[in-house]
Amino acid sequence: MEETIIETLQECRIALAVDRISCLPIEQTRKRDWRFYEAAGEGVPRVKSNVATSVIIEYRRLIQAGVVVSSDDSPDLLKLASQLQDEKPLRHILVPISAMGKPWGLLACANFSDVDSYSQEFVDAATVLGNMIASSIERVNHYEQLIKSRQDVVERNKRIIGERERERQNIARDLHDDFSQRLASLGIELSLATSICDEGTRPALMKCANELASITKDVQHLSRHLHPVVIERVGLNAAIQSHAEQVSERAGLHLTLELDDVTFDNDAALHVYRIVQEALSNVVKHANASAVRITLKSFSNGWMELSIRDDGIGIAQQPDTSPSLSLGFQSMVERGELIGGELIIKRNDPKAGTTVKLSIKTSEV
């Protein structure tokens, strides 16, 4: 973008028949020096990189004034311009320019060989060309700010999701190492009590033992859900298959799985698994579906595609029918972005149902 603007500025320099042309913005920029953009003819001296602060301050005063200043009417302008480079220009003019209807700065033109006066036609042409250049620069700046803002959002989401995963891991560890062990000990004591009690109390104790076993199983399931260590032990595909089979069995869904062997690092594998988890949770809670199909396909061009498709009632055009649904969608989209992928959620037209699809280049994972 910057090269394009400088090329455009060079064309404007030729059109205006000046030896050097610069854009001087009102606002200071950290990315570039005070000259901002500059184009000069062959052999024309360039502005020094170490211009005196007093010179810059005076130019800034002229920029803030927002009026045309020409050496034809203000000879002192040549004295000021002579401090910009080793050679003194013969003529110099500063023309106020705007970007998208707002004052932006000045278009500074200098001639070192041509001594013709700057006419009103020159000022008008410089104003039009300068406004176009300033507007282009602002569009570039706006685009760069959007890119940076998007990157900042991605980094922020990455930190938030990372902290959330660490919290889940800590809770899962506590459930496994503390609660599960205490429940197991209680189960052993309850079994011992059942073996030595009388016949009248044994049925009640057996009922308590069965309920305790069910609670222990639920705690173990919750621990695995919070931190799926199965990914590290047997891989992503086995983790997806295990979770999908459990969900489909509990919800009465017909499950179809087609999982290619795709290699991910640990963080990316966890994000893919969480996307599958969230998608299946939405199917159970909102879709009223009878079947779900999960595919993980790898392609020869280096791309991978994850798809979770159901045959339910389908989402609305804007998936905001409930707060939990919207948050779930947002979470999946954010996780897809964190691993460099693109996640889309769409209604299966013309048939009912919803498809969650993640596309990602595996070489980036």
Side-chain angles (χ1 to χ4, degrees), residues 19 71-72 78 87-92 110-116 118:
D19 295 327
S71 59
D72 296 337
L78 284 181
E87 182 180 347
K88 180 180 179 180
L90 299 178
R91 291 193 181 278
H92 190 34
N111 284 84
F112 293 82
S113 57
D114 186 3
V115 296
D116 289 343
Y118 296 118

Side-chain angles (χ1 to χ4, degrees), residues 16 29 44 62 96 116 143 146 196 224 291 314 320 323 350:
L16 293 172
T29 174
V44 175
L62 295 172
D116 289 343
Y143 175 77
L146 287 177
I196 62 176
R224 288 193 297 269
D320 55 0

Side-chain angles (χ1 to χ4, degrees), residues 40-303:
E42 185 176 354
V44 175
R46 306 298 295 267
V47 176
K48 297 176 182 178
S49 58
N50 56 344
V51 177
T53 302
S54 59
V55 176
I56 296 177
I57 291 174
E58 181 59 21
Y59 266 102
R60 290 227 165 266
R61 185 187 69 79
L62 295 172
I63 291 172
Q64 294 290 344
V67 295
V68 176
V69 183
S70 172
S71 59
D72 296 337
D73 304 316
S74 303
D76 288 343
L77 185 60
L78 284 181
K79 295 179 182 179
L80 181 66
S82 66
Q83 302 179 61
L84 298 178
Q85 65 285 306
D86 296 329
E87 182 180 347
K88 180 180 179 180
L90 299 178
R91 291 193 181 278
H92 190 34
I93 189 170
L94 305 176
V95 180
I97 55 178
S98 301
M100 293 174 281
K102 297 180 180 180
W104 185 89
L106 296 176
L107 193 67
C109 302
N111 284 84
F112 293 82
S113 57
D114 186 3
V115 296
D116 289 343
S117 298
Y118 296 118
S119 64
Q120 184 59 46
E121 289 77 9
F122 176 91
V123 173
D124 294 340
T127 301
V128 172
L129 294 175
N131 291 347
M132 293 172 59
I133 294 171
S135 295
S136 298
I137 291 172
E138 284 305 300
R139 289 189 181 95
V140 171
N141 290 339
H142 182 65
Y143 175 77
E144 291 176 347
Q145 290 171 3
L146 287 177
I147 295 297
K148 184 180 184 303
S149 297
R150 182 175 179 83
Q151 291 172 344
D152 290 344
V153 169
V154 170
E155 288 300 319
R156 183 196 64 192
N157 290 339
K158 186 176 182 179
R159 290 193 298 270
I160 292 174
I161 291 177
E163 292 173 0
R164 188 187 306 161
E165 290 295 343
R166 285 189 290 273
E167 290 175 358
R168 286 181 171 182
Q169 185 175 2
N170 292 335
I171 295 173
R173 186 184 299 113
D174 289 341
L175 287 174
H176 181 271
D177 296 344
D178 185 10
F179 290 95
S180 292
Q181 299 303 322
R182 289 162 62 185
L183 288 171
S185 298
L186 184 59
I188 293 173
E189 294 180 5
L190 192 56
S191 296
L192 179 61
T194 302
S195 65
I196 62 176
C197 70
D198 56 57
E199 294 297 329
T201 58
R202 184 170 289 116
L205 289 176
M206 289 292 296
K207 182 178 179 181
C208 290
N210 291 334
E211 185 64 24
L212 180 62
S214 176
I215 293 173
T216 302
K217 185 177 180 180
D218 289 342
V219 170
Q220 292 172 346
H221 172 74
L222 178 60
S223 176
R224 288 193 297 269
H225 179 81
L226 288 171
H227 183 63
V229 293
V230 65
I231 297 177
E232 302 170 5
R233 293 176 180 173
V234 297
L236 175 62
N237 286 9
I240 291 175
Q241 180 176 350
S242 175
H243 180 71
E245 288 176 348
Q246 292 177 20
V247 172
S248 61
E249 182 178 355
R250 291 197 305 268
L253 294 171
H254 176 73
L255 174 66
T256 303
L257 286 170
E258 295 181 13
L259 306 176
D260 289 349
D261 187 13
V262 181
T263 302
F264 295 99
D265 62 34
N266 290 338
D267 288 341
L270 179 58
H271 287 306
V272 171
Y273 179 80
R274 293 298 191 200
I275 289 172
V276 173
Q277 272 189 317
E278 183 62 40
L280 288 177
S281 176
N282 287 334
V283 171
V284 173
K285 293 179 181 178
H286 306 288
N288 192 24
S290 61
V292 63
R293 181 187 187 91
I294 304 175
T295 61
L296 183 61
K297 296 287 187 181
S298 60
F299 301 94
S300 58
N301 60 1
W303 282 85

Side-chain angles (χ1 to χ4, degrees), residues 20-38:
R20 190 178 67 214
I21 188 170
S22 303
C23 291
L24 307 181
I26 293 176
E27 296 183 1
Q28 187 80 34
T29 174
R30 295 180 181 180
K31 293 184 61 179
R32 305 179 181 89
D33 62 13
W34 72 283
R35 291 171 294 158
F36 206 69
Y37 289 105
E38 180 187 51

